[in-house]
Amino acid sequence: MSIQAIRTEENLVTEEPYYEPVGQEVEVFASAYRNQLPILLKGPTGCGKTRFVEYMSWYLQRPMITVACHDDLTASDLVGRYLVKGGETVWVDGPLTRAARNGCICYLDEIVEARKDTSVVIHPLCDDRRLLPIDKLGELLQVPDEFCLAISYNPGYQSVLKDLKQSTRQRFVALEFDYPDEAKEQMIVEKEAPGIDPDVARHLVKFGTMTRNLKGGGLDEGASTRLLVNAGKLIADGIDPVLATDTAVALALTDDVDMLKAVHELSRSVF
Ligand code: ADP
């Protein structure tokens, strides 16, 4: 039986990721990190949460391990399990255990999607005990000070069934994310879609804001910064702006024929 090692240097973000702060989130994350407090990032999809954690990984010089949570994700997927390899039973650490052993930042994206049994391992990690129970190894791991748990969730998507429980959320320092204001979002689009005409970027962001006003009036979500960046890349590559927003934004947001038309009209009115 062997414990699988991790080459943490592979998970180190070596180049400064481009991140445009929208408030005091860098200072708050750094302070929570120094105080060994776990961090909860709330906000809609595509508004920069993952990019922010990547930036913090670089800023704090701690390797980062990301887990995209889904319906079937169990505590064992996070902690680890025995696998049979070449006739031998081998213990393989899960991503949370690897992060804990090596003092990494562990980012659990969309945590409410995961199975409920994951809270059994997350809770003792998130209070002053900072313990990771690895039941199958009979081990109670005391995590190093460098370890940091960050989780994200999108309050807009959650049903009552999939809300984050008070017993979980009350362990975290919470940071709220939203789409940046128009001037900042234009800077982001220009930086992420190099070559885009600044005036076109400004119009693209204006179009994005208009789609967000349709939220609840036929759209579940407006265009995220991610979708605007995608459209910006197509435009910078020579695609007509209306076609770019139809394909990179409208069709990504909805299948509803009337809403597709409405978003198309918004784009035509802007460009
Ligand atoms: P989330 O994790 O919230 O779903 P991401 O972090 O993946 O969203 O952001 C999507 C994209 O939007 C990024 O790849 C980046 O291009 C852009 N982006 C959003 N916010 C920012 C920001 N504040 N600074 C830099 N890029 C940003």
Side-chain angles (χ1 to χ4, degrees):
M1 198 187 300
S2 71
I3 305 279
Q4 203 188 23
I6 171 194
R7 298 188 49 201
T8 49
E9 67 272 23
E10 284 174 8
N11 296 67
L12 194 64
V13 180
T14 45
E15 263 185 46
E16 178 176 355
Y18 166 62
Y19 178 69
E20 199 60 55
V22 286
Q24 305 274 290
E25 68 274 28
V26 174
E27 292 80 357
V28 174
F29 191 115
S31 175
Y33 179 79
R34 284 193 295 276
N35 286 285
Q36 282 115 48
L37 295 171
I39 298 132
L40 164 65
L41 311 177
K42 288 194 212 185
T45 185
C47 72
K49 300 184 295 298
T50 304
R51 180 64 67 87
F52 170 61
V53 183
E54 282 165 4
Y55 176 80
M56 292 312 298
S57 167
W58 171 83
Y59 182 92
L60 298 165
Q61 283 297 293
R62 296 312 310 161
M64 170 178 171
I65 294 178
T66 302
V67 182
C69 300
H70 54 79
D71 299 10
D72 288 333
L73 189 102
T74 61
S76 300
D77 293 325
L78 291 178
V79 173
R81 54 166 53 92
Y82 283 109
L83 294 178
V84 178
K85 276 188 185 169
E88 213 200 335
T89 306
V90 188
W91 170 261
V92 180
D93 277 346
L96 183 60
T97 307
R98 294 206 310 273
R101 288 195 202 282
N102 295 285
C104 302
I105 296 174
C106 187
Y107 178 46
L108 304 180
D109 195 9
E110 290 293 346
I111 186 70
V112 283
E113 293 296 331
R115 292 269 185 92
K116 294 296 160 232
D117 72 337
T118 51
S119 56
V120 176
V121 291
I122 290 173
H123 285 189
L125 259 185
C126 291
D127 49 38
D128 353 328
R129 292 174 287 169
R130 289 181 53 90
L131 293 170
L132 177 63
I134 312 176
D135 289 347
K136 287 181 188 140
L137 287 181
E139 188 180 346
L140 198 53
L141 183 70
Q142 178 74 63
V143 302
D145 287 355
E146 291 81 4
F147 169 78
C148 170
L149 182 68
I151 67 176
S152 79
Y153 107 111
N154 177 352
Y157 282 171
Q158 312 318 325
S159 64
V160 184
L161 280 176
K162 279 199 166 175
D163 209 353
L164 199 58
K165 282 197 299 193
Q166 283 293 332
S167 55
T168 304
R169 61 197 293 158
Q170 290 208 15
R171 289 160 198 266
F172 289 81
V173 171
L175 284 169
E176 184 143 44
F177 283 72
D178 207 343
Y179 308 118
D181 63 43
E182 290 197 3
K184 209 155 252 183
E185 196 162 41
Q186 182 184 339
M187 274 167 64
I188 295 170
V189 170
E190 285 180 31
K191 184 89 184 179
E192 295 284 280
I196 191 168
D197 180 279
D199 215 39
V200 176
R202 188 168 60 79
H203 284 100
L204 188 56
V205 166
K206 193 163 173 225
F207 158 79
T209 308
M210 288 160 96
T211 67
R212 288 166 200 165
N213 295 333
L214 291 177
K215 186 176 168 179
L219 285 183
D220 292 338
E221 287 283 340
S224 63
T225 308
R226 178 192 295 124
L227 293 189
L228 298 183
V229 165
N230 290 351
K233 285 179 176 166
L234 297 188
I235 296 169
D237 201 42
I239 303 291
D240 170 76
V242 177
L243 178 59
T245 53
D246 276 352
T247 49
V249 180
L251 283 164
L253 287 179
T254 182
D255 298 320
D256 183 282
V257 179
D258 292 332
M259 286 320 293
L260 284 172
K261 260 195 211 142
V263 177
H264 175 78
E265 285 312 318
L266 282 185
S267 179
R268 277 172 51 103
S269 73
V270 170
F271 290 109

